[in-house]
Amino acid sequence: MSKNEFLDILRDYLKDSFSQSEILDILRDYEEFFLNGELEGKSDEEIIASLGSPKTIAQDLKEEMKRENRGSNRDKDYKDEAKKVWEKTKETSKKGFQKSKEFLNSNDIINEKIPTWGVKAILIILSLLLIIPSIMVIGSVIGAGLGLVGLSVLDMIGYALSFPAMAANFYLGLFGFFISLAGTGVIIALWTIYVNVVILIKRLFTKYVAWIKTKKMYIRVKENKNSNRESSENEVRVNVNEERKEEENNEKEDTIVYLEESKIVEVENFEEKEAGEDEEK
């Protein structure tokens, strides 16, 4: 077994119990063992024999991790529970998003499972229902932004007042400075949350607008389909009417030809009759 094979096997044993950064740290430590052994003139096999099998090393590291984490199991449980809730929320959100994508899909609209007026009514009602919540959300976002601006200004004023206060009372001014410093940390965290919320709202709005545009596109396709079908039906009617007129004209022409031929035959018979009578005389 070579060094690279040893490290790859060790990585496989560690990946189920350690994070990527922890695995990289462990592999880095064992790679250092190999480098030190090479400097001492040892081969890979000799170094591996002194270290033990990758499976044994992984088991020892897992046991050590369990011992170190016994004192923080409660925090870990909280984190695991929060992670489960977050994963469940993500899964629910994905299902909801998938259902929203399937709602009023192209087949339902274009193939007339839902009438055009029904789709338009649904889109209008949905948009009207979202107007008030949207106004409330936008107002809250603007209010929160103004509040954060005000807090940031007050925090800067706190810094500005803490230095003159140090001249009068050093400890009081120092206390004010650290209060402002703590406030800066809180404000930065609040600004981070605020920016993420704004980005999330923007993404939701963009997706909703795209969803509405997609449904309108389906409606246009359906209307074009109906228009083309009506045009085709009209063309068929026109063609049928033209064929009927042509047949009628042909029938009239045939009738006229027949009458003319009948007259010619009658004239010829009459002439033959007269010729026969003249011969008899």
Side-chain angles (χ1 to χ4, degrees), residues 5-60:
E5 291 173 344
F6 177 90
L7 295 176
D8 288 339
I9 295 171
L10 180 59
R11 184 197 300 272
D12 291 336
Y13 280 118
L14 296 174
K15 64 182 180 182
D16 294 333
S17 302
F18 295 89
S19 65
Q20 187 63 28
S21 60
E22 291 173 336
I23 292 174
L24 291 176
D25 290 336
I26 293 170
L27 294 178
R28 193 179 299 111
D29 291 337
Y30 279 90
E31 188 173 6
E32 185 177 353
F33 280 115
F34 278 95
L35 294 174
N36 291 330
E38 289 173 3
L39 292 175
E40 295 174 0
K42 296 180 180 179
S43 64
D44 288 347
E45 288 78 9
E46 292 174 339
I47 299 170
I48 292 170
S50 63
L51 292 174
S53 68
K55 184 176 181 180
T56 302
I57 293 171
Q59 289 175 346
D60 292 339

Short mmCIF file of all heavy atoms in Angstrom, two decimals, residues 5-60:
data_model
loop_
_atom_site.label_atom_id
_atom_site.label_comp_id
_atom_site.label_asym_id
_atom_site.label_seq_id
_atom_site.Cartn_x
_atom_site.Cartn_y
_atom_site.Cartn_z
N GLU A 5 -2.70 5.74 -1.36
CA GLU A 5 -3.76 4.76 -1.11
C GLU A 5 -4.18 4.76 0.35
O GLU A 5 -5.37 4.69 0.68
CB GLU A 5 -3.29 3.37 -1.52
CG GLU A 5 -3.12 3.21 -3.03
CD GLU A 5 -2.50 1.87 -3.40
OE1 GLU A 5 -1.93 1.22 -2.50
OE2 GLU A 5 -2.57 1.49 -4.58
N PHE A 6 -3.21 4.86 1.24
CA PHE A 6 -3.49 4.90 2.68
C PHE A 6 -4.36 6.12 3.01
O PHE A 6 -5.37 6.01 3.73
CB PHE A 6 -2.16 4.96 3.45
CG PHE A 6 -2.33 5.09 4.94
CD1 PHE A 6 -2.42 3.96 5.74
CD2 PHE A 6 -2.38 6.34 5.54
CE1 PHE A 6 -2.57 4.08 7.11
CE2 PHE A 6 -2.53 6.46 6.90
CZ PHE A 6 -2.62 5.33 7.70
N LEU A 7 -4.00 7.29 2.49
CA LEU A 7 -4.75 8.52 2.78
C LEU A 7 -6.15 8.47 2.17
O LEU A 7 -7.11 8.96 2.79
CB LEU A 7 -3.98 9.73 2.27
CG LEU A 7 -2.64 10.01 2.96
CD1 LEU A 7 -1.92 11.18 2.29
CD2 LEU A 7 -2.83 10.29 4.45
N ASP A 8 -6.28 7.88 0.99
CA ASP A 8 -7.61 7.77 0.36
C ASP A 8 -8.53 6.86 1.17
O ASP A 8 -9.72 7.17 1.36
CB ASP A 8 -7.48 7.24 -1.07
CG ASP A 8 -6.88 8.27 -2.01
OD1 ASP A 8 -6.94 9.48 -1.69
OD2 ASP A 8 -6.33 7.87 -3.07
N ILE A 9 -7.98 5.74 1.64
CA ILE A 9 -8.78 4.81 2.45
C ILE A 9 -9.18 5.47 3.77
O ILE A 9 -10.33 5.35 4.23
CB ILE A 9 -8.01 3.51 2.70
CG1 ILE A 9 -7.79 2.77 1.37
CG2 ILE A 9 -8.75 2.62 3.68
CD1 ILE A 9 -6.86 1.58 1.48
N LEU A 10 -8.25 6.18 4.37
CA LEU A 10 -8.53 6.87 5.62
C LEU A 10 -9.62 7.94 5.41
O LEU A 10 -10.51 8.11 6.25
CB LEU A 10 -7.26 7.50 6.16
CG LEU A 10 -7.39 8.27 7.49
CD1 LEU A 10 -7.89 7.35 8.59
CD2 LEU A 10 -6.04 8.88 7.88
N ARG A 11 -9.55 8.62 4.29
CA ARG A 11 -10.58 9.63 3.97
C ARG A 11 -11.97 8.99 3.90
O ARG A 11 -12.95 9.54 4.40
CB ARG A 11 -10.24 10.30 2.64
CG ARG A 11 -11.18 11.44 2.27
CD ARG A 11 -11.05 11.77 0.78
NE ARG A 11 -9.69 12.17 0.46
CZ ARG A 11 -9.24 13.43 0.53
NH1 ARG A 11 -10.05 14.38 0.92
NH2 ARG A 11 -7.99 13.70 0.21
N ASP A 12 -12.05 7.81 3.27
CA ASP A 12 -13.34 7.13 3.15
C ASP A 12 -13.91 6.74 4.51
O ASP A 12 -15.12 6.82 4.73
CB ASP A 12 -13.20 5.88 2.27
CG ASP A 12 -12.94 6.22 0.81
OD1 ASP A 12 -13.32 7.34 0.40
OD2 ASP A 12 -12.34 5.40 0.11
N TYR A 13 -13.04 6.32 5.42
CA TYR A 13 -13.51 5.94 6.76
C TYR A 13 -13.93 7.14 7.60
O TYR A 13 -14.75 7.01 8.52
CB TYR A 13 -12.41 5.17 7.50
CG TYR A 13 -12.29 3.72 7.12
CD1 TYR A 13 -11.12 3.23 6.53
CD2 TYR A 13 -13.33 2.83 7.35
CE1 TYR A 13 -11.01 1.89 6.17
CE2 TYR A 13 -13.23 1.50 6.99
CZ TYR A 13 -12.08 1.03 6.40
OH TYR A 13 -11.97 -0.30 6.05
N LEU A 14 -13.38 8.31 7.28
CA LEU A 14 -13.65 9.50 8.10
C LEU A 14 -14.85 10.31 7.63
O LEU A 14 -15.42 11.08 8.40
CB LEU A 14 -12.41 10.41 8.11
CG LEU A 14 -11.15 9.85 8.77
CD1 LEU A 14 -9.98 10.82 8.56
CD2 LEU A 14 -11.36 9.62 10.25
N LYS A 15 -15.22 10.16 6.35
CA LYS A 15 -16.18 11.10 5.76
C LYS A 15 -17.57 11.03 6.37
O LYS A 15 -18.35 11.98 6.27
CB LYS A 15 -16.26 10.89 4.25
CG LYS A 15 -16.80 9.54 3.84
CD LYS A 15 -16.77 9.43 2.31
CE LYS A 15 -17.32 8.07 1.85
NZ LYS A 15 -17.25 7.93 0.39
N ASP A 16 -17.92 9.92 7.03
CA ASP A 16 -19.25 9.80 7.63
C ASP A 16 -19.35 10.45 9.00
O ASP A 16 -20.46 10.68 9.49
CB ASP A 16 -19.65 8.32 7.76
CG ASP A 16 -19.82 7.66 6.39
OD1 ASP A 16 -20.14 8.39 5.43
OD2 ASP A 16 -19.62 6.44 6.29
N SER A 17 -18.22 10.74 9.62
CA SER A 17 -18.25 11.24 11.00
C SER A 17 -17.60 12.60 11.19
O SER A 17 -17.78 13.22 12.24
CB SER A 17 -17.53 10.24 11.93
OG SER A 17 -18.14 8.96 11.86
N PHE A 18 -16.87 13.08 10.19
CA PHE A 18 -16.15 14.34 10.32
C PHE A 18 -16.52 15.27 9.17
O PHE A 18 -16.90 14.82 8.08
CB PHE A 18 -14.63 14.10 10.34
CG PHE A 18 -14.15 13.32 11.53
CD1 PHE A 18 -14.10 11.94 11.50
CD2 PHE A 18 -13.74 13.98 12.69
CE1 PHE A 18 -13.65 11.22 12.60
CE2 PHE A 18 -13.29 13.27 13.78
CZ PHE A 18 -13.25 11.89 13.74
N SER A 19 -16.38 16.56 9.45
CA SER A 19 -16.62 17.54 8.39
C SER A 19 -15.44 17.56 7.43
O SER A 19 -14.37 16.99 7.71
CB SER A 19 -16.82 18.93 9.00
OG SER A 19 -15.62 19.37 9.64
N GLN A 20 -15.63 18.23 6.31
CA GLN A 20 -14.59 18.28 5.29
C GLN A 20 -13.32 18.95 5.81
O GLN A 20 -12.21 18.48 5.55
CB GLN A 20 -15.11 19.01 4.05
CG GLN A 20 -14.17 19.00 2.86
CD GLN A 20 -13.93 17.60 2.32
OE1 GLN A 20 -14.77 16.72 2.44
NE2 GLN A 20 -12.77 17.39 1.72
N SER A 21 -13.50 20.03 6.57
CA SER A 21 -12.33 20.73 7.11
C SER A 21 -11.59 19.87 8.12
O SER A 21 -10.35 19.86 8.17
CB SER A 21 -12.77 22.04 7.76
OG SER A 21 -13.68 21.80 8.81
N GLU A 22 -12.34 19.12 8.96
CA GLU A 22 -11.70 18.23 9.94
C GLU A 22 -10.94 17.10 9.24
O GLU A 22 -9.84 16.73 9.66
CB GLU A 22 -12.76 17.65 10.88
CG GLU A 22 -13.36 18.70 11.82
CD GLU A 22 -14.52 18.14 12.63
OE1 GLU A 22 -15.14 17.15 12.17
OE2 GLU A 22 -14.82 18.68 13.70
N ILE A 23 -11.54 16.57 8.17
CA ILE A 23 -10.87 15.49 7.42
C ILE A 23 -9.56 16.00 6.82
O ILE A 23 -8.53 15.32 6.86
CB ILE A 23 -11.80 14.95 6.32
CG1 ILE A 23 -12.97 14.21 6.96
CG2 ILE A 23 -11.04 14.02 5.38
CD1 ILE A 23 -14.03 13.76 5.97
N LEU A 24 -9.59 17.20 6.28
CA LEU A 24 -8.38 17.77 5.68
C LEU A 24 -7.29 17.95 6.73
O LEU A 24 -6.10 17.71 6.48
CB LEU A 24 -8.70 19.10 5.00
CG LEU A 24 -9.57 19.01 3.74
CD1 LEU A 24 -9.90 20.40 3.23
CD2 LEU A 24 -8.87 18.20 2.65
N ASP A 25 -7.69 18.39 7.95
CA ASP A 25 -6.71 18.56 9.03
C ASP A 25 -6.10 17.22 9.42
O ASP A 25 -4.87 17.11 9.62
CB ASP A 25 -7.39 19.20 10.25
CG ASP A 25 -7.75 20.65 10.01
OD1 ASP A 25 -7.12 21.30 9.14
OD2 ASP A 25 -8.67 21.15 10.69
N ILE A 26 -6.94 16.18 9.53
CA ILE A 26 -6.43 14.86 9.92
C ILE A 26 -5.49 14.31 8.85
O ILE A 26 -4.39 13.80 9.16
CB ILE A 26 -7.61 13.89 10.15
CG1 ILE A 26 -8.42 14.34 11.38
CG2 ILE A 26 -7.11 12.46 10.35
CD1 ILE A 26 -9.74 13.60 11.54
N LEU A 27 -5.90 14.41 7.59
CA LEU A 27 -5.06 13.91 6.50
C LEU A 27 -3.75 14.67 6.42
O LEU A 27 -2.69 14.10 6.12
CB LEU A 27 -5.81 14.01 5.17
CG LEU A 27 -7.04 13.13 5.01
CD1 LEU A 27 -7.70 13.38 3.67
CD2 LEU A 27 -6.67 11.65 5.15
N ARG A 28 -3.81 15.95 6.73
CA ARG A 28 -2.59 16.76 6.72
C ARG A 28 -1.62 16.27 7.81
O ARG A 28 -0.39 16.20 7.58
CB ARG A 28 -2.94 18.23 6.94
CG ARG A 28 -1.78 19.18 6.63
CD ARG A 28 -2.20 20.61 6.84
NE ARG A 28 -3.30 21.02 5.97
CZ ARG A 28 -4.53 21.28 6.37
NH1 ARG A 28 -4.84 21.20 7.66
NH2 ARG A 28 -5.47 21.64 5.51
N ASP A 29 -2.17 15.92 8.97
CA ASP A 29 -1.32 15.42 10.05
C ASP A 29 -0.66 14.10 9.67
O ASP A 29 0.55 13.90 9.92
CB ASP A 29 -2.15 15.22 11.33
CG ASP A 29 -2.61 16.54 11.93
OD1 ASP A 29 -1.97 17.59 11.65
OD2 ASP A 29 -3.61 16.54 12.67
N TYR A 30 -1.42 13.20 9.04
CA TYR A 30 -0.84 11.90 8.69
C TYR A 30 0.09 12.01 7.49
O TYR A 30 1.04 11.22 7.37
CB TYR A 30 -1.96 10.88 8.44
CG TYR A 30 -2.49 10.32 9.73
CD1 TYR A 30 -3.54 10.93 10.39
CD2 TYR A 30 -1.89 9.20 10.32
CE1 TYR A 30 -4.00 10.43 11.61
CE2 TYR A 30 -2.35 8.71 11.52
CZ TYR A 30 -3.39 9.32 12.17
OH TYR A 30 -3.83 8.83 13.38
N GLU A 31 -0.16 12.97 6.63
CA GLU A 31 0.79 13.19 5.55
C GLU A 31 2.12 13.68 6.11
O GLU A 31 3.20 13.36 5.58
CB GLU A 31 0.21 14.22 4.57
CG GLU A 31 1.05 14.36 3.30
CD GLU A 31 0.39 15.26 2.27
OE1 GLU A 31 -0.67 15.85 2.58
OE2 GLU A 31 0.93 15.35 1.16
N GLU A 32 2.03 14.43 7.21
CA GLU A 32 3.26 14.89 7.87
C GLU A 32 4.05 13.71 8.43
O GLU A 32 5.29 13.70 8.38
CB GLU A 32 2.90 15.87 8.98
CG GLU A 32 4.12 16.51 9.64
CD GLU A 32 3.72 17.53 10.69
OE1 GLU A 32 2.51 17.83 10.80
OE2 GLU A 32 4.60 18.02 11.40
N PHE A 33 3.31 12.70 8.95
CA PHE A 33 4.00 11.49 9.43
C PHE A 33 4.79 10.83 8.30
O PHE A 33 5.93 10.39 8.48
CB PHE A 33 2.98 10.48 10.00
CG PHE A 33 2.53 10.78 11.39
CD1 PHE A 33 1.21 11.12 11.66
CD2 PHE A 33 3.42 10.70 12.45
CE1 PHE A 33 0.79 11.38 12.95
CE2 PHE A 33 3.00 10.97 13.75
CZ PHE A 33 1.68 11.32 13.99
N PHE A 34 4.17 10.76 7.13
CA PHE A 34 4.84 10.15 5.99
C PHE A 34 6.08 10.95 5.58
O PHE A 34 7.13 10.37 5.28
CB PHE A 34 3.87 10.03 4.81
CG PHE A 34 2.98 8.83 4.89
CD1 PHE A 34 1.71 8.92 5.44
CD2 PHE A 34 3.41 7.60 4.39
CE1 PHE A 34 0.89 7.80 5.49
CE2 PHE A 34 2.58 6.49 4.44
CZ PHE A 34 1.32 6.59 5.00
N LEU A 35 5.94 12.28 5.57
CA LEU A 35 7.08 13.11 5.19
C LEU A 35 8.23 12.94 6.17
O LEU A 35 9.41 12.85 5.76
CB LEU A 35 6.64 14.58 5.10
CG LEU A 35 5.64 14.90 3.98
CD1 LEU A 35 5.19 16.35 4.09
CD2 LEU A 35 6.25 14.64 2.62
N ASN A 36 7.91 12.91 7.46
CA ASN A 36 8.96 12.72 8.47
C ASN A 36 9.61 11.34 8.33
O ASN A 36 10.84 11.19 8.47
CB ASN A 36 8.39 12.87 9.88
CG ASN A 36 8.00 14.30 10.18
OD1 ASN A 36 8.59 15.25 9.66
ND2 ASN A 36 6.98 14.49 11.01
N GLY A 37 8.78 10.33 8.03
CA GLY A 37 9.33 8.99 7.84
C GLY A 37 10.23 8.91 6.62
O GLY A 37 11.28 8.24 6.64
N GLU A 38 9.86 9.61 5.54
CA GLU A 38 10.69 9.62 4.34
C GLU A 38 12.03 10.29 4.62
O GLU A 38 13.07 9.86 4.09
CB GLU A 38 9.95 10.34 3.22
CG GLU A 38 8.77 9.55 2.67
CD GLU A 38 7.95 10.35 1.67
OE1 GLU A 38 8.34 11.51 1.37
OE2 GLU A 38 6.92 9.85 1.21
N LEU A 39 12.02 11.33 5.45
CA LEU A 39 13.28 11.99 5.80
C LEU A 39 14.19 11.06 6.59
O LEU A 39 15.42 11.18 6.53
CB LEU A 39 12.99 13.26 6.60
CG LEU A 39 12.32 14.40 5.83
CD1 LEU A 39 12.00 15.55 6.78
CD2 LEU A 39 13.22 14.90 4.70
N GLU A 40 13.54 10.15 7.34
CA GLU A 40 14.33 9.19 8.12
C GLU A 40 14.74 7.98 7.29
O GLU A 40 15.38 7.05 7.80
CB GLU A 40 13.53 8.72 9.34
CG GLU A 40 13.25 9.83 10.34
CD GLU A 40 12.33 9.39 11.46
OE1 GLU A 40 11.91 8.19 11.44
OE2 GLU A 40 11.99 10.21 12.33
N GLY A 41 14.34 7.96 6.01
CA GLY A 41 14.72 6.87 5.12
C GLY A 41 13.80 5.69 5.15
O GLY A 41 14.14 4.61 4.65
N LYS A 42 12.59 5.85 5.72
CA LYS A 42 11.64 4.74 5.79
C LYS A 42 10.81 4.67 4.51
O LYS A 42 10.55 5.69 3.87
CB LYS A 42 10.71 4.90 7.00
CG LYS A 42 11.42 4.84 8.34
CD LYS A 42 10.42 5.01 9.47
CE LYS A 42 11.11 4.95 10.83
NZ LYS A 42 10.15 5.15 11.94
N SER A 43 10.36 3.48 4.18
CA SER A 43 9.47 3.30 3.03
C SER A 43 8.03 3.50 3.47
O SER A 43 7.72 3.57 4.67
CB SER A 43 9.64 1.90 2.44
OG SER A 43 9.24 0.92 3.39
N ASP A 44 7.14 3.59 2.48
CA ASP A 44 5.72 3.76 2.80
C ASP A 44 5.19 2.59 3.63
O ASP A 44 4.40 2.78 4.56
CB ASP A 44 4.90 3.89 1.51
CG ASP A 44 5.13 5.22 0.82
OD1 ASP A 44 5.72 6.13 1.44
OD2 ASP A 44 4.70 5.37 -0.34
N GLU A 45 5.60 1.36 3.28
CA GLU A 45 5.13 0.18 4.01
C GLU A 45 5.57 0.24 5.47
O GLU A 45 4.79 -0.11 6.37
CB GLU A 45 5.66 -1.09 3.36
CG GLU A 45 5.02 -1.45 2.02
CD GLU A 45 5.57 -0.61 0.88
OE1 GLU A 45 6.55 0.13 1.10
OE2 GLU A 45 5.03 -0.69 -0.24
N GLU A 46 6.78 0.67 5.72
CA GLU A 46 7.27 0.75 7.10
C GLU A 46 6.50 1.82 7.90
O GLU A 46 6.16 1.60 9.07
CB GLU A 46 8.76 1.08 7.11
CG GLU A 46 9.63 -0.05 6.57
CD GLU A 46 11.09 0.36 6.44
OE1 GLU A 46 11.37 1.58 6.39
OE2 GLU A 46 11.94 -0.55 6.39
N ILE A 47 6.24 2.94 7.27
CA ILE A 47 5.50 4.00 7.96
C ILE A 47 4.08 3.54 8.26
O ILE A 47 3.55 3.77 9.36
CB ILE A 47 5.48 5.28 7.10
CG1 ILE A 47 6.91 5.78 6.88
CG2 ILE A 47 4.63 6.36 7.76
CD1 ILE A 47 7.02 6.89 5.87
N ILE A 48 3.43 2.87 7.28
CA ILE A 48 2.06 2.38 7.47
C ILE A 48 2.02 1.34 8.58
O ILE A 48 1.08 1.30 9.40
CB ILE A 48 1.51 1.81 6.16
CG1 ILE A 48 1.31 2.95 5.15
CG2 ILE A 48 0.20 1.07 6.38
CD1 ILE A 48 1.00 2.48 3.75
N ALA A 49 3.05 0.46 8.62
CA ALA A 49 3.10 -0.56 9.67
C ALA A 49 3.19 0.09 11.05
O ALA A 49 2.61 -0.42 12.03
CB ALA A 49 4.29 -1.49 9.43
N SER A 50 3.90 1.21 11.17
CA SER A 50 4.02 1.88 12.47
C SER A 50 2.75 2.64 12.84
O SER A 50 2.44 2.80 14.03
CB SER A 50 5.21 2.85 12.45
OG SER A 50 4.99 3.89 11.49
N LEU A 51 1.99 3.11 11.83
CA LEU A 51 0.77 3.87 12.11
C LEU A 51 -0.42 2.98 12.40
O LEU A 51 -1.29 3.32 13.21
CB LEU A 51 0.43 4.78 10.90
CG LEU A 51 1.39 5.94 10.63
CD1 LEU A 51 1.00 6.65 9.34
CD2 LEU A 51 1.39 6.92 11.79
N GLY A 52 -0.49 1.82 11.73
CA GLY A 52 -1.66 0.96 11.87
C GLY A 52 -2.56 1.10 10.65
O GLY A 52 -2.31 1.90 9.75
N SER A 53 -3.61 0.31 10.65
CA SER A 53 -4.52 0.33 9.50
C SER A 53 -5.39 1.59 9.52
O SER A 53 -5.68 2.14 10.58
CB SER A 53 -5.42 -0.91 9.53
OG SER A 53 -6.31 -0.83 10.62
N PRO A 54 -5.83 2.06 8.35
CA PRO A 54 -6.70 3.24 8.30
C PRO A 54 -8.00 3.05 9.08
O PRO A 54 -8.50 3.99 9.70
CB PRO A 54 -6.97 3.40 6.80
CG PRO A 54 -5.83 2.75 6.12
CD PRO A 54 -5.44 1.60 7.00
N LYS A 55 -8.54 1.83 9.07
CA LYS A 55 -9.78 1.56 9.79
C LYS A 55 -9.60 1.75 11.29
O LYS A 55 -10.43 2.36 11.96
CB LYS A 55 -10.25 0.14 9.48
CG LYS A 55 -11.58 -0.21 10.12
CD LYS A 55 -12.02 -1.60 9.70
CE LYS A 55 -13.38 -1.95 10.33
NZ LYS A 55 -13.82 -3.30 9.93
N THR A 56 -8.48 1.24 11.82
CA THR A 56 -8.21 1.37 13.25
C THR A 56 -8.00 2.84 13.64
O THR A 56 -8.49 3.30 14.67
CB THR A 56 -6.96 0.56 13.62
OG1 THR A 56 -7.15 -0.80 13.25
CG2 THR A 56 -6.68 0.64 15.11
N ILE A 57 -7.28 3.56 12.79
CA ILE A 57 -7.05 4.98 13.05
C ILE A 57 -8.38 5.73 13.08
O ILE A 57 -8.63 6.57 13.96
CB ILE A 57 -6.12 5.57 11.98
CG1 ILE A 57 -4.72 4.95 12.10
CG2 ILE A 57 -6.04 7.09 12.11
CD1 ILE A 57 -3.80 5.32 10.97
N ALA A 58 -9.26 5.46 12.11
CA ALA A 58 -10.55 6.13 12.04
C ALA A 58 -11.40 5.82 13.28
O ALA A 58 -12.05 6.72 13.85
CB ALA A 58 -11.30 5.71 10.77
N GLN A 59 -11.40 4.56 13.71
CA GLN A 59 -12.16 4.19 14.90
C GLN A 59 -11.63 4.91 16.14
O GLN A 59 -12.40 5.39 16.98
CB GLN A 59 -12.10 2.68 15.10
CG GLN A 59 -12.90 1.89 14.07
CD GLN A 59 -12.72 0.40 14.23
OE1 GLN A 59 -11.81 -0.08 14.94
NE2 GLN A 59 -13.57 -0.37 13.55
N ASP A 60 -10.29 4.99 16.26
CA ASP A 60 -9.70 5.70 17.40
C ASP A 60 -10.08 7.17 17.40
O ASP A 60 -10.38 7.77 18.44
CB ASP A 60 -8.18 5.54 17.39
CG ASP A 60 -7.75 4.11 17.65
OD1 ASP A 60 -8.55 3.35 18.22
OD2 ASP A 60 -6.60 3.76 17.28
#
